[in-house]
Amino acid sequence: MRGSREEAAIDAIEATRAYVEDFLPEDEPLLDARRRGTEVGAMPIGPAGGAALRFLATLIGARTVVEVGSGCGVSGVWLMRGMPKDGVLTSVDIEPENQRLAKQAYREAGLSGFRTRMIIGPALEVLPRLTDGAYDMVFCDAAKREYPEYLTDALRLLRPGGVVAFDNALWHDRVADPARRDPETEAIREVHRMIREDDRLVPLLIPVGDGLICAVKRD
């Protein structure tokens, strides 16, 4: 009997997760971008996470956004749909193919090429070249081991009142499991700690998709 109750509870949790992910269905340009991203191993942010990015960008009126890891265009489409029409997305990706597919996704979504600045290269080399305090939002979805360094750069890049966000904040349910000690999981735990303990930040961990941790930089 106990096993049946536990199985029912797990089924209910999975059904709730599926409901959240399907709450705002993606249109054809996003579905095509997601398919292409999955095919090349980019693993874009999920639909609910993308909707959260659009919400955050809209909420703060983000005109200047940096994304680290293009997700082959999925995250960029969500972000630009939340930004004003004159907003500019700076997309950093180490893979030229990912950037090519991202540009294709933007075209298919009807988003002007004037709204994007595409930079190919390692994020830890590109981010230091961007202007301090010039950005409303920074979204990170690239090398998990580099997440703590991304946060350090993001805090320098953000204006007061800006938002930083990281995808894969639950890392396939590994972060909550203390037995998981691999470098990627440990790096994500470290960025959680850094965000939680930084008095300059107002943090929030959102259990959508694979988890989204975000924070507002105080004035």
Side-chain angles (χ1 to χ4, degrees):
M1 189 72 177
R2 180 179 176 183
S4 297
R5 287 199 299 270
E6 290 175 348
E7 290 172 3
I10 292 171
D11 288 344
I13 291 170
E14 291 301 318
T16 297
R17 284 187 173 183
Y19 179 83
V20 171
E21 287 299 309
D22 295 338
F23 178 66
L24 292 172
E26 293 183 316
D27 59 9
E28 189 171 342
L30 274 169
L31 290 172
D32 287 344
R34 180 175 302 285
R35 174 183 53 79
R36 291 190 294 263
T38 302
E39 287 173 353
V40 300
M43 297 306 293
I45 191 169
L53 293 180
R54 182 180 64 176
F55 177 87
L56 291 169
T58 303
L59 184 68
I60 66 171
R63 294 180 179 276
T64 53
V65 177
V66 176
E67 67 168 3
V68 181
S70 67
C72 295
V74 173
S75 53
V77 170
W78 277 112
L79 284 164
M80 284 190 282
R81 285 178 172 176
M83 297 164 64
K85 293 188 182 301
D86 61 349
V88 176
L89 173 72
T90 298
S91 181
V92 181
D93 202 306
I94 198 170
E95 294 293 342
E97 178 65 5
N98 292 355
Q99 292 282 37
R100 185 188 69 79
L101 293 174
K103 291 178 182 178
Q104 179 180 347
Y106 304 153
R107 287 194 302 271
E108 292 177 357
L111 298 165
S112 168
F114 294 107
R115 297 189 59 188
T116 60
R117 178 172 62 152
M118 315 295 281
I119 303 176
I120 298 173
L124 296 182
E125 295 179 10
V126 174
L127 295 177
R129 303 202 302 264
L130 302 182
T131 304
D132 293 7
Y135 296 91
D136 300 311
M137 186 172 177
V138 177
F139 169 62
C140 303
D141 187 14
K144 310 311 167 192
R145 297 188 190 192
E146 297 177 357
Y147 267 23
E149 288 87 352
Y150 296 163
L151 177 61
T152 299
D153 279 317
L155 293 180
R156 177 181 55 78
L157 296 174
L158 284 172
R159 63 162 174 83
V163 170
V164 61
F166 291 81
D167 191 26
N168 303 117
L170 300 177
W171 198 227
H172 314 301
D173 298 318
R174 295 171 188 163
V175 170
D177 182 354
R180 298 282 189 165
R181 311 296 294 182
D182 59 277
E184 289 78 11
T185 302
E186 291 283 52
I188 294 170
R189 288 191 185 117
E190 175 62 11
V191 90
H192 285 197
R193 184 197 64 77
M194 292 169 67
I195 290 173
R196 187 172 56 241
E197 296 179 4
D198 194 323
D199 291 338
R200 296 170 295 175
L201 299 175
V202 180
L204 177 64
L205 179 59
I206 308 175
V208 294
D210 197 28
L212 187 72
I213 188 167
C214 50
V216 178
K217 183 179 177 181
R218 295 181 188 270
D219 294 341

